[in-house]
Amino acid sequence: MTQLANELDWPISGEDPDSGHACTEILRSYLGMSRKTPEQVQALRERDPACAFGALLQGYFFMLAANPKISARTGAVLDELESQPPESDWLAAHIGALRAWYEQRTDATAAALEVALQAHPQDLLSLRLLHHLYFYEGDGTKMRASLRQYAHHYRDSTFAGFVAGMEAFACEESGQYAEAEERAQSALAENPADAWAIHAAAHVRQSQHRFEDGVRWLQPRRAVLETLNAFRFHAYWHEALCHLALGDHAAALALFDDDILPAVADDFYLDTCNAAGLLHLLNASGVDVGDRWYDVARIAERHLQDRELVFVSLHYAMPFLGREQHAESAARFKDNLAAWSESETPQGQAARYALRILVPVLEGKSPPDRMTVDPLALRVIGGSHTQRALFEVLAGQPAPFLALTGRD
């Protein structure tokens, strides 16, 4: 095998000389929220099975799906990667990161990705995966720190805009709103279709209670968002929250019916999180949601035994907890969460908090300690400030990132 040329000078090899460029184009596709990313990965794997980095990419994308039926496929990828000595210490760090992630040791995954970045600062894949992992730790400070350390390595790269978009979101989650908006604008100057930058700028407007501005920001970008993958539905969720904060319940409900609920049928975790969270907030705002829980419950029922992300599992449980007619499903979820909470992993820690505090909230009860449903404590389940604020609303507490007040 030969060393493969590629835009980021990754030390990768394979039999097809085009595979190096294919790897960085897959990265570009992933960062750009393209619908074609899975097809590109599969094409690389078929064209050049000897390219170990292609296998690694496939394993990472299996894990990013946060669906046990998909993440289970990572085992075969790891068997393939671990069947021969890695071609570099850098690749060894990546294989170790994937192995740790597959075993739910995401703290070890992050440590291994940091090692990979130190060895090769233009390892934008590691930087983006760390961004994802720190997001699901609820830690904007870590997100921002990793980008501050490495962003300058991409300033003259065609990937610079994507890095700026990541910086924008990390700054927003760290409360640095002016810098977040500046970095989002920089990203969009490079690529007006950068969904992560559009999303970061929407977060800034929401965090600053600029709800009318948030609607004005998102609506003209619908044509761009419609060309992207399922992440576009999360942008529509943000628009619905802005309408909700403005008291325009009809507009929020229309977005739910026309865009957010239909996506749930695709069985992608974020679509279900969008739908379940918005239904609870509509209800908390006094809106009659009718039988709209039905289609969400139909998909969520499949995932009550999942152990991928506690944040996601809580959303899968929302159609069932506190509803007498779904007591059996709720019990199955709680039994699974209790077993998960015995795990000494980051998600096990999150499960312990969720079982003690957030499950009672979702059941309509007061948690053991109302003060524990606050932004600092909630960070353990991951997600953004805005996503986690739902639990503050349901606990009857002010939720500044939503500008909504929970029910009495």
Side-chain angles (χ1 to χ4, degrees):
M1 290 194 295
T2 58
Q3 193 82 4
L4 300 173
N6 62 87
E7 185 176 345
L8 293 171
D9 293 326
W10 290 349
I12 54 181
S13 60
E15 294 179 348
D16 186 327
D18 293 330
S19 293
H21 293 298
C23 286
T24 50
E25 283 308 301
I26 288 168
L27 173 67
R28 193 185 306 279
S29 179
Y30 164 51
L31 295 173
M33 310 287 186
S34 171
R35 302 180 192 186
K36 297 180 180 179
T37 310
E39 299 170 17
Q40 291 173 296
V41 175
Q42 187 59 36
L44 173 60
R45 295 285 283 136
E46 292 173 0
R47 187 178 67 245
D48 192 352
C51 178
F53 204 77
L56 184 80
L57 285 168
Q58 187 173 57
Y60 279 141
F61 290 133
F62 286 158
M63 294 307 302
L64 284 165
N67 182 328
K69 290 183 178 178
I70 298 174
S71 59
R73 302 176 197 169
T74 308
V77 173
L78 282 163
D79 288 345
E80 177 184 343
L81 288 167
E82 294 169 345
S83 66
Q84 53 190 348
E87 58 202 44
S88 67
D89 291 343
W90 179 69
L91 183 61
H94 267 291
I95 294 171
L98 183 60
R99 166 60 69 183
W101 197 351
Y102 181 61
E103 295 174 354
Q104 296 291 311
R105 296 180 292 110
T106 49
D107 47 352
T109 301
L113 291 172
E114 293 281 9
V115 169
L117 260 173
Q118 289 164 13
H120 195 82
Q122 279 199 300
D123 181 1
L124 184 49
L125 177 64
S126 284
L127 192 60
R128 184 60 180 86
L129 292 175
L130 283 167
H131 195 63
H132 172 89
L133 292 170
Y134 293 151
F135 173 72
Y136 278 107
E137 288 182 14
D139 198 330
T141 301
K142 282 186 181 179
M143 292 166 66
R144 195 175 182 207
S146 66
L147 284 156
R148 280 189 178 280
Q149 185 173 357
Y150 293 103
H152 67 280
H153 291 284
Y154 305 92
R155 294 297 186 225
D156 297 323
S157 164
T158 61
F159 289 96
F162 290 123
V163 175
M166 291 161 60
E167 289 181 287
F169 187 66
C171 287
E172 186 280 327
E173 287 297 292
S174 302
Q176 305 299 316
Y177 300 131
E179 186 176 355
E181 198 155 9
E182 183 276 325
R183 297 314 295 149
Q185 292 292 353
S186 178
L188 292 167
E190 294 280 338
N191 174 19
D194 186 336
W196 200 241
I198 292 171
H199 168 248
H203 262 273
V204 170
R205 286 158 172 77
Q206 196 154 0
S207 298
Q208 294 184 321
H209 293 185
R210 294 157 52 193
F211 299 115
E212 291 181 353
D213 191 16
V215 173
R216 287 195 298 268
W217 173 255
L218 287 166
Q219 284 187 345
R221 288 165 176 80
R222 179 171 280 258
V224 166
L225 292 166
E226 286 290 348
T227 67
L228 306 178
N229 67 15
F231 189 75
R232 67 190 186 276
F233 302 115
H234 186 64
Y236 305 150
W237 176 82
H238 275 284
E239 184 183 341
L241 293 187
C242 288
H243 285 300
L244 202 54
L246 292 167
D248 191 346
H249 298 164
L253 202 58
L255 277 164
F256 181 88
D257 289 339
D258 296 342
D259 296 302
I260 294 167
L261 183 59
V264 171
D266 293 335
D267 198 4
F268 175 55
Y269 75 90
L270 186 56
D271 295 334
T272 304
C273 290
N274 295 332
L278 183 54
L279 278 179
H280 264 308
L281 290 169
L282 284 162
N283 187 60
S285 300
V287 178
D288 181 4
V289 300
D291 62 357
R292 289 177 174 86
W293 278 108
Y294 174 79
D295 288 331
V296 180
R298 187 169 53 83
I299 298 299
E301 178 79 31
R302 305 172 186 175
H303 297 284
L304 296 179
Q305 304 297 300
D306 286 10
R307 295 187 191 176
E308 297 284 332
L309 292 166
V310 169
F311 173 85
V312 174
S313 287
L314 286 166
H315 285 77
Y316 286 139
M318 286 177 185
F320 310 108
L321 291 172
R323 292 176 169 84
E324 188 175 346
Q325 69 271 33
H326 296 303
E328 183 179 341
S329 295
R332 283 197 295 117
F333 167 75
K334 287 192 284 187
D335 287 345
N336 183 59
L337 192 64
W340 197 358
S341 71
E342 296 175 4
S343 167
E344 293 302 322
T345 64
Q347 289 301 309
Q349 178 187 0
R352 288 191 286 277
Y353 173 77
L355 190 65
R356 178 173 176 267
I357 304 297
L358 300 183
V359 167
V361 167
L362 291 172
E363 290 176 321
K365 305 172 186 175
S366 294
D369 179 359
R370 287 178 65 88
M371 294 304 293
T372 58
V373 186
D374 63 28
L376 186 60
L378 279 167
R379 270 181 38 180
V380 71
I381 65 166
S384 69
H385 294 299
T386 304
Q387 288 173 313
R388 295 190 301 269
L390 166 65
F391 296 98
E392 298 171 68
V393 170
L394 296 180
Q397 299 174 192
F401 288 95
L402 295 176
L404 297 172
T405 301
R407 294 169 291 182
D408 293 333

